Amino acid sequence: MSRPLTPALAVDLVIELVDQPDRPIVLIERLNPPPGFALPGGFVDLGERVEDAARREALEETGLEVELKSLLGVYSDPARDARGHTVSIVYLAEASGQPRAGDDAARILVTAHNTLPQLAFDHAKILADYARSRRTR
Amino acid sequence: MSRPLTPALAVDLVIELVDQPDRPIVLIERLNPPPGFALPGGFVDLGERVEDAARREALEETGLEVELKSLLGVYSDPARDARGHTVSIVYLAEASGQPRAGDDAARILVTAHNTLPQLAFDHAKILADYARSRRTR
């Protein structure tokens, strides 16, 4: 059977730093287009579990070994990534220690979840959904 | 940019029939390989939102207009579909009325969630996770 043509699959993570007051989150400043800040994340490799892709991308981009806590949502608007239709599965994760900018990341920003810079893709929407879920837990 | 090579993306649905006692669920007997019973579902089209794909597949295969209630989980074991690595996003959905076998479905089975036939793919695991979530809600 030929492979069906489906959207590209990515993961993104909202990483809470649980050893800091008020659990700030981790953003990266992107080295590659589109520019701006974004959640850590990237494409899922063929043959890789989605959870493994999430832990791998977090480690590569922030140096953090994260624990995945829950599925925050699935974001699939065909216009959310101008490079082509990409569906992102978004996890809430926890980590401790100091993040360090790695692959694809020019700089790390540790920030309160309610004072955010300009964000790439639909990551402002993802973080608005996250802020709502944070209020109810 | 060339498109990254990522797993194929599918949706599956656990559809509860809310107008029947004890909310039975809907399975289809597959017309295409692999044979056996399965949750309604299928591949997400390029340019299609995942939620729209779920509602479309439910309608095509069961004739039911479903309401998506929650995200049950993401299943991504590379071995879960022998035809190639396919990640499935699984929704819990509700519907009323009588399902009718449509596209890709030889026959419909309406069944209690705790008395299941042999299931294709990893759908037995998905329904075990569903049964656990049903006990805690």
Side-chain angles (χ1 to χ4, degrees):
Chain A
M1 184 182 107
S2 65
R3 298 290 289 156
L5 188 63
T6 64
L9 185 62
V11 287
D12 290 294
L13 302 99
V14 178
I15 305 173
E16 294 184 348
L17 294 175
V18 295
D19 57 349
Q20 296 189 33
D22 297 325
R23 294 177 166 241
I25 64 166
V26 180
L27 299 176
I28 63 164
E29 189 170 3
R30 292 175 54 79
L31 270 179
N32 298 319
F37 287 92
L39 296 168
F43 291 108
V44 179
D45 289 339
L46 196 61
E48 181 181 43
R49 281 176 198 252
V50 172
E51 296 87 346
D52 292 336
R55 285 184 286 257
R56 174 181 57 75
E57 287 287 349
L59 187 62
E60 287 175 1
E61 295 190 343
T62 72
L64 294 169
E65 292 195 10
V66 303
E67 184 182 353
L68 304 182
K69 302 304 287 185
S70 62
L71 199 53
L72 206 59
V74 173
Y75 294 81
S76 62
D77 184 339
R80 63 181 294 281
D81 187 332
R83 300 169 301 179
H85 188 192
T86 301
V87 171
S88 182
I89 296 173
V90 183
Y91 288 94
L92 176 61
E94 292 180 355
S96 300
Q98 282 304 323
R100 298 180 316 274
D103 285 5
D104 301 335
R107 194 155 63 100
I108 293 280
L109 181 68
V110 174
T111 177
H113 73 280
N114 48 8
T115 57
L116 298 170
Q118 278 293 118
L119 291 158
F121 310 116
D122 59 353
H123 290 191
K125 173 175 165 40
I126 294 172
L127 285 171
D129 292 345
Y130 160 72
R132 255 191 305 279
S133 78
R134 188 163 159 144
R135 281 195 295 274
T136 59
R137 74 170 195 246
Chain B
M1 184 180 105
S2 67
R3 296 292 288 156
L5 188 64
T6 65
L9 186 62
V11 288
D12 289 295
L13 301 99
V14 179
I15 305 173
E16 294 183 348
L17 294 176
V18 295
D19 57 349
Q20 296 190 34
D22 297 323
R23 292 175 168 244
I25 64 167
V26 180
L27 298 177
I28 63 162
E29 189 170 4
R30 292 174 55 79
L31 269 181
N32 297 317
F37 286 92
L39 296 168
F43 291 108
V44 179
D45 289 338
L46 196 60
E48 181 182 43
R49 283 178 196 252
V50 172
E51 296 87 344
D52 292 337
R55 284 183 288 257
R56 173 180 58 73
E57 288 287 348
L59 186 63
E60 286 175 1
E61 293 189 345
T62 72
L64 294 169
E65 293 196 8
V66 303
E67 184 182 354
L68 303 183
K69 301 305 287 185
S70 62
L71 199 51
L72 206 57
V74 174
Y75 293 81
S76 62
D77 184 339
R80 62 181 296 280
D81 186 333
R83 301 170 300 177
H85 188 191
T86 301
V87 171
S88 182
I89 296 172
V90 182
Y91 288 94
L92 175 62
E94 293 181 355
S96 301
Q98 282 304 321
R100 298 180 317 274
D103 284 5
D104 302 334
R107 195 155 63 101
I108 292 280
L109 182 69
V110 173
T111 177
H113 73 281
N114 47 8
T115 58
L116 298 170
Q118 278 293 116
L119 291 157
F121 311 114
D122 58 353
H123 290 190
K125 174 176 164 41
I126 294 172
L127 284 170
D129 292 345
Y130 160 71
R132 254 191 305 280
S133 78
R134 187 165 159 144
R135 282 196 295 274
T136 58
R137 74 172 197 243

